[in-house]
Amino acid sequence: MAGQFEAIPGGGAAVALDEVEIAILRSLAVQLLELVGPGDQPVEGQDPLAELFAEGPSEPPADPVLARLFPDAYGGPEAKPDDEEARAFSSEFRRYTENDLRARKRDDALAVIRSLDALTVAGNGGAVLKLGPEESHRWLGALNDLRLAIGTRLEVADEEDGDELYRLPDSDPRKPMVMAYLWLGGLQESLVETLTP
């Protein structure tokens, strides 16, 4: 089970993690949480229905990682810069969806942190993380977001870029981030397999 999620009865998943892996996963989830932002707290006495329909931002984020986590809904990367109609549609879509998407990404990252914090590390320095079906989906979302964030920082745009990462010399300062990116990919892939009937 080391390093790979395995299916457990009831539709969940389990993985054996050592103390270093737990610390790395927790640190990355905290960083993701900080990147996504705390979100707006509801104002005391405010109508909860009004909060539900609160408008979000209409412009894409300037940070490339946030732009990857919250992409434009229309046009895509191949859109022409002067396509005003696509920009207008994307702006409108973003205004009504980004707050909810940010909240989901925060909830996913928090689920990772909370489940790691609840682990009891054994005398051998490891623990087995067991996730129920809902928690497994939250972990899958967080692992995906972490890989997107790290991949964006590493400027991974396609599979060929990912292949080049394997050939980086150990002296390359990006090597630790590359190792985390590849490790998270393995975790994500094995978790997907446990959730696929």
Side-chain angles (χ1 to χ4, degrees):
M1 181 186 301
Q4 299 286 314
F5 277 98
E6 293 180 7
I8 58 175
V15 64
L17 300 169
D18 65 31
E19 284 183 279
V20 173
E21 292 169 327
I22 293 168
I24 291 170
L25 280 168
R26 190 181 190 293
S27 175
L28 290 172
V30 167
Q31 291 175 53
L32 178 64
L33 195 59
E34 291 170 353
L35 180 68
V36 170
D40 296 328
Q41 299 300 317
V43 177
E44 190 174 325
Q46 183 176 356
D47 178 7
L49 189 58
E51 179 65 26
L52 183 64
F53 293 104
E55 292 184 12
S58 59
E59 294 298 317
D63 182 323
V65 172
L66 288 174
R68 183 70 177 104
L69 293 173
F70 306 104
D72 278 337
Y74 297 91
E78 66 280 344
K80 297 175 187 158
D82 62 345
D83 190 347
E84 290 185 34
E85 185 178 43
R87 254 195 335 272
F89 288 149
S90 288
S91 176
E92 191 71 8
F93 187 80
R94 180 179 300 280
R95 184 179 344 223
Y96 294 108
T97 60
E98 188 170 312
N99 286 345
D100 289 339
L101 187 55
R102 279 183 185 267
R104 195 195 84 226
K105 290 181 182 303
R106 277 192 299 274
D107 289 346
D108 290 349
L110 278 170
V112 169
I113 294 166
R114 288 179 181 138
S115 59
L116 292 172
D117 287 350
L119 283 177
T120 303
V121 178
N124 64 358
V128 176
L129 173 69
K130 293 182 181 178
L131 304 172
E134 184 178 335
E135 263 187 315
S136 295
H137 286 282
R138 291 207 176 275
W139 265 75
L140 190 56
L143 289 172
N144 185 62
D145 290 341
L146 288 169
R147 286 199 72 235
L148 285 173
I150 293 172
T152 302
R153 291 288 189 240
L154 290 170
E155 298 178 352
V156 174
D158 57 32
E159 197 171 314
E160 288 179 20
D161 293 336
D163 291 342
E164 288 179 22
L165 297 178
Y166 287 103
R167 294 187 292 275
L168 284 179
D170 289 342
S171 60
D172 192 300
R174 297 172 295 168
K175 190 70 172 196
M177 199 169 13
V178 168
M179 297 305 293
Y181 176 78
L182 298 172
W183 174 58
L184 291 170
L187 284 176
Q188 182 182 18
E189 184 178 336
S190 66
L191 185 54
V192 166
E193 288 172 5
T194 69
L195 298 174
T196 305

